[in-house]
Amino acid sequence: MKVSVTILLMLLGSFAVSAADFSVVVKDENGAVVENAVVSLEPKFTLNKPMNAGQEVLEMGQRGAMFTPFVLPVHVGTKVSFPNYDEFRHQVYSFSKAKRFELRLYGQDESKSVIFENPGVVALGCNIHDNMLAYIYVSEFPIVAKTGEDGVAPLSELEEGSYVVHIWHPDMSSGSKMTLPAITVGDQNDPLNATVKLRSIRSIQKAPAEGGDY
Amino acid sequence: MARFEGKASQAVLAFCMGGLIGQAANAAEFPAVDLELYSDLRLTTVAGEPTWFKDWLGKLRYGGDWQGGRQTKLRLSELSLIAKSDITWDLHAFVHAKFDPEQDKPADLVEAYLRYRPVPTSRWQYQLKAGLFFPHISREHTSVAWTSPYTITPSAINSWIGEEIRTLGLEAKATLKLDQQKLSFTGGAFGFNDPAGTLLAFRGWALGDYKVGAFSRLPLPPISSIGPDSDFLRFQPLWVNPVREVDNKVGYYGAVDWSHKVGFKAGAFFYDNRGDPEVIKHSQYGWDTKFWNFYTEVEAPMGIDLMAQYLTGNTKMGFFKYGGDFRAVDVDYASGFVMASRKFGKHRLSVRRDWFDTDDNSFVVEDNNNEVGTAWTVAFNAHLGNKDSIIAEMLHVNSTRPFRETVWYDAQQSQTLWQLSYRRRF
Ligand SMILES: [Cu+2]
């Protein structure tokens, strides 16, 4: 980490930015770590280095009649590509308020992309494969990360200062997200522990039916 | 899988679909036809009663010889051709044609339909289906070419669905998708299924993976109450052609299906072909056949999938005889099964218990269609690759049918069929 921080400082040159590492650990009410929780940070100050949303292209692939990843966090204005890694077609759609669209992906290695301009949760489905399910979480805030299997959302190279932490997960009751009190990110930071209330039955993306035909 | 993008097929399908073709975003890519072959190579060994396919009263697709001796055979038990075409992104065509040794035609049509399913714009999803197809009664037949991933031989209920139930009609379905649950309502109007019920009355329930083609006849046993020599129902020949329009009346079905993410599914289905029992056409009676089908599926602990179905109904045919209140044939029928299944990696082990019963309400002396029976099925489906698998199955059936005595057999019969099926898709 030290190396990359050094490189970053060198690249930034004249910017007098001190970057800090921070992480949020998300657990449910039973104390079990929660995967696929989206952590977004709302800075309470003006960032020296504004996030250039729309510069990077993120990916929501289709492989083996499943979306991958299951949850994709993005900033407002981000372009997401939808590459089809299968030999068969997918008809990807969303009727979520944040973004309504339909993509027709004929076959292998065809990719189309969508720009997500509005914040909110975009639930994805496929009109051909009923089992396919995924979420794109479009955050209005510049810094987003997702928890891994260990429940940890890593947030590296943050500017020091005060942030409000927002957490969302597909199994929180519809349309809700959790906002934690503002925290201050300094030079050295302990991980922030967050407990979320989730529905007992978790949404998962099921594998396609056995011996079924695509 | 072979892919044909010939001009001829394109022209034919375009002609069929008329203006709808304009919907294709990229018309140059549509419509392509995907062809797939499905083959089932079968090794069987069984003793006891001959199969009903030999015009008898045996309960299974395969049986013993005329003395009840063991028969062991290797054969191609099915070769299916499945053609699929995406005419537009929302409109799909499906055709399933089949060869098998029991079929009286070299090839016959199992299903042929168009399905229209636009991309949902709300939590409600809508679908229309038109053509010849299986209404969604069977919970077992989720694999290609109307086969089951659980067992070679489906339950008594779904064996009968394969033998006699096929609708030529129009079906509309609306599905409400909520975060945790899904609720569907289905309604269909159909014709060409008027003789359905014939097998259940004169042969009774059976367990087998044969599915009838639209133009095929199935044999009936030479029981004394039917056939040209009979003085009870001499216009009923010793065969049935289940996919036939007899009375020109429209039948209907309706269904409600519910599933919850906790791992629970349940549903109810009602069928009434509204047959006119007094009409005879093409040597076939109109049978007034109605039934309810109920099912539930539970994802139990330890990776065990539980599935149960219960079907109950009645069928009537012929005139009110001898001035009484009953038609020549008036039979109540019911069957149920419970299956437990578990995956081991990509393989699957399934155990099923079947119960079946027919209850004859009329003229039991002349035409006894009573029956009770049970069956055990144990099967292991070994996954060899994405396109092939082997299923090994043991099926034991025990049944009592008093009318067997009129063909010189004991009323009670039991037999065990061992099968090995190698299935491959091309
Ligand atoms: Cu798909």
Side-chain angles (χ1 to χ4, degrees):
Chain A
M1 216 55 241
K2 267 208 175 108
V3 176
S4 64
V5 172
T6 316
I7 291 170
L8 183 81
L9 287 172
M10 283 161 62
L11 287 172
L12 289 171
S14 60
F15 285 101
V17 176
S18 50
D21 287 351
F22 177 56
S23 64
V24 178
V25 183
V26 181
K27 292 183 177 172
D28 66 15
E29 289 175 310
N30 301 320
V33 294
V34 173
E35 193 187 357
N36 286 320
V38 175
V39 175
S40 36
L41 297 190
E42 175 188 2
K44 301 309 280 180
F45 58 99
T46 308
L47 290 177
N48 283 316
K49 176 179 73 84
M51 287 288 169
N52 289 324
Q55 293 281 323
E56 56 176 342
V57 178
L58 297 175
E59 183 180 306
M60 177 58 79
Q62 303 112 59
R63 198 186 290 277
M66 291 177 84
F67 284 116
T68 169
F70 178 52
V71 171
L72 177 68
V74 303
H75 319 279
V76 166
T78 302
K79 189 182 204 176
V80 176
S81 70
F82 288 79
N84 181 1
Y85 296 112
D86 288 324
E87 286 169 6
F88 40 86
R89 304 181 319 145
H90 294 290
Q91 190 174 16
V92 179
Y93 68 84
S94 152
F95 53 78
S96 301
K97 254 182 252 152
K99 187 76 187 178
R100 290 172 186 273
F101 66 93
E102 177 194 342
L103 293 179
R104 297 165 166 191
L105 299 151
Y106 289 86
Q108 201 146 20
D109 298 327
E110 184 180 357
S111 183
K112 287 184 176 167
S113 46
V114 173
I115 295 170
F116 292 88
E117 306 94 347
N118 304 311
V121 179
V122 180
L124 303 177
C126 173
N127 198 37
I128 297 164
H129 306 106
D130 238 8
N131 63 295
M132 291 175 70
L133 170 72
Y135 296 92
I136 293 179
Y137 182 83
V138 187
S139 175
E140 60 197 288
F141 306 118
I143 299 150
V144 287
K146 180 178 84 165
T147 57
E149 277 178 46
D150 54 0
V152 178
L155 295 145
S156 52
E157 292 154 21
L158 294 183
E159 292 180 28
E160 288 181 14
S162 174
Y163 295 89
V164 175
V165 179
H166 302 273
I167 297 175
W168 174 84
H169 188 273
D171 293 315
M172 287 174 147
S173 59
S174 256
S176 75
K177 80 180 173 170
M178 195 173 88
T179 302
L180 299 177
I183 48 127
T184 303
V185 172
D187 196 17
Q188 296 289 317
N189 302 290
D190 290 331
L192 175 72
N193 287 302
T195 302
V196 292
K197 192 176 177 226
L198 301 183
R199 283 189 285 242
S200 56
I201 307 140
R202 302 293 166 86
S203 32
I204 52 157
Q205 180 178 210
K206 292 206 168 175
E210 267 164 82
D213 33 343
Y214 297 132
Chain B
M1 197 183 287
R3 179 165 272 261
F4 294 87
E5 296 181 42
K7 278 220 165 81
S9 63
Q10 200 160 336
V12 169
L13 287 162
F15 176 76
C16 294
M17 295 338 302
L20 286 162
I21 209 84
Q23 286 195 355
N26 191 346
E29 301 243 3
F30 284 95
V33 178
D34 279 330
L35 289 179
E36 192 171 18
L37 274 176
Y38 169 82
S39 68
D40 181 337
L41 191 65
R42 193 81 61 91
L43 180 65
T44 62
T45 180
V46 58
E49 209 179 7
T51 169
W52 64 274
F53 282 104
K54 288 193 170 168
D55 309 339
W56 214 243
L57 283 162
K59 290 276 157 239
L60 305 176
R61 183 171 177 184
Y62 307 109
D65 62 25
W66 290 108
Q67 284 74 44
R70 177 162 298 278
Q71 296 229 79
T72 301
K73 274 188 180 165
L74 178 70
R75 64 176 84 60
L76 179 69
S77 69
E78 178 176 340
L79 188 65
S80 271
L81 176 71
I82 293 133
K84 281 186 253 179
S85 180
D86 302 312
I87 297 159
T88 70
W89 276 90
D90 301 334
L91 185 67
H92 308 270
F94 179 92
V95 176
H96 174 191
K98 175 199 66 154
F99 155 83
D100 70 48
E102 287 88 354
Q103 194 162 269
D104 66 343
K105 306 272 182 297
D108 202 350
L109 205 57
V110 180
E111 292 188 286
Y113 60 82
L114 290 171
R115 191 194 73 186
Y116 176 66
R117 179 154 82 167
V119 164
T121 53
S122 73
R123 288 186 175 275
W124 284 95
Q125 184 169 37
Y126 302 98
Q127 179 179 295
L128 279 177
K129 223 165 145 179
L132 176 76
F133 51 85
F134 287 103
H136 68 285
I137 298 162
S138 173
R139 304 303 300 173
E140 296 174 284
H141 292 86
T142 58
S143 283
V144 65
W146 214 72
T147 60
S148 164
Y150 304 102
T151 55
I152 299 170
T153 308
S155 61
I157 294 176
N158 298 323
S159 294
W160 178 58
I161 300 303
E163 291 157 2
E164 284 202 311
I165 302 299
R166 204 71 42 84
T167 51
L168 179 65
L170 185 69
E171 177 194 280
K173 183 175 179 181
T175 303
L176 176 65
K177 288 180 169 176
L178 301 172
D179 287 347
Q180 301 275 294
Q181 42 194 318
K182 215 161 89 174
L183 187 64
S184 298
F185 302 93
T186 311
F190 66 91
F192 287 85
N193 206 195
D194 290 326
T198 311
L199 279 172
L200 275 190
F202 297 133
R203 179 209 62 184
W205 292 97
L207 289 108
D209 63 322
Y210 175 88
K211 47 216 170 217
V212 74
F215 302 96
S216 294
R217 290 178 178 182
L218 288 170
L220 294 172
I223 52 175
S224 56
S225 56
I226 57 171
D229 302 330
S230 166
D231 49 16
F232 187 72
L233 281 168
R234 65 194 168 89
F235 296 116
Q236 171 63 54
L238 296 179
W239 51 267
V240 55
N241 181 355
V243 188
R244 263 292 192 186
E245 184 54 51
V246 174
D247 55 18
N248 297 319
K249 280 169 72 184
V250 176
Y252 70 95
Y253 61 84
V256 179
D257 296 90
W258 177 62
S259 70
H260 195 284
K261 270 200 178 138
V262 68
F264 184 81
K265 291 179 185 174
F269 179 100
F270 180 74
Y271 168 105
D272 184 354
N273 68 0
R274 294 179 67 240
D276 183 337
E278 298 182 359
V279 177
I280 308 175
K281 205 162 129 190
H282 321 293
S283 303
Q284 297 288 283
Y285 278 87
W287 290 63
D288 187 12
T289 297
K290 348 175 176 282
F291 61 86
W292 281 96
N293 180 64
F294 304 97
Y295 71 86
T296 177
E297 283 178 45
V298 179
E299 287 172 24
M302 289 158 53
I304 295 172
D305 300 319
L306 297 175
M307 177 190 290
Q309 248 182 270
Y310 177 72
L311 185 146
T312 180
N314 172 274
T315 186
K316 290 182 180 70
M317 79 76 117
F319 290 87
F320 293 101
K321 265 196 177 292
Y322 314 135
D325 296 333
F326 284 103
R327 294 191 183 273
V329 177
D330 184 334
V331 175
D332 294 332
Y333 48 89
S335 178
F337 74 84
V338 176
M339 179 162 70
S341 181
R342 190 188 190 282
K343 279 193 105 172
F344 294 89
K346 290 195 161 182
H347 315 304
R348 187 180 267 287
L349 179 68
S350 306
V351 180
R352 188 184 63 222
R353 179 67 164 156
D354 275 273
W355 296 267
F356 53 87
D357 168 68
T358 60
D359 200 354
D360 195 339
N361 300 319
S362 69
F363 309 105
V364 174
V365 173
E366 295 88 345
D367 175 45
N368 187 339
N369 298 312
N370 284 308
E371 168 177 287
V372 289
T374 57
W376 277 109
T377 309
V378 180
F380 186 75
N381 184 343
H383 176 99
L384 304 179
N386 285 334
K387 299 266 179 193
D388 53 349
S389 64
I390 288 185
I391 307 184
E393 180 184 281
M394 188 283 299
L395 167 55
H396 179 79
V397 60
N398 185 359
S399 63
T400 302
R401 187 172 185 90
F403 232 41
R404 277 189 182 118
E405 287 165 353
T406 70
V407 291
W408 311 288
Y409 270 64
D410 288 340
Q412 194 255 323
Q413 297 284 331
S414 71
Q415 59 190 153
T416 305
L417 165 66
W418 297 84
Q419 302 191 81
L420 212 53
S421 160
Y422 173 66
R423 5 194 100 190
R424 190 176 169 82
R425 295 157 67 175
F426 301 94

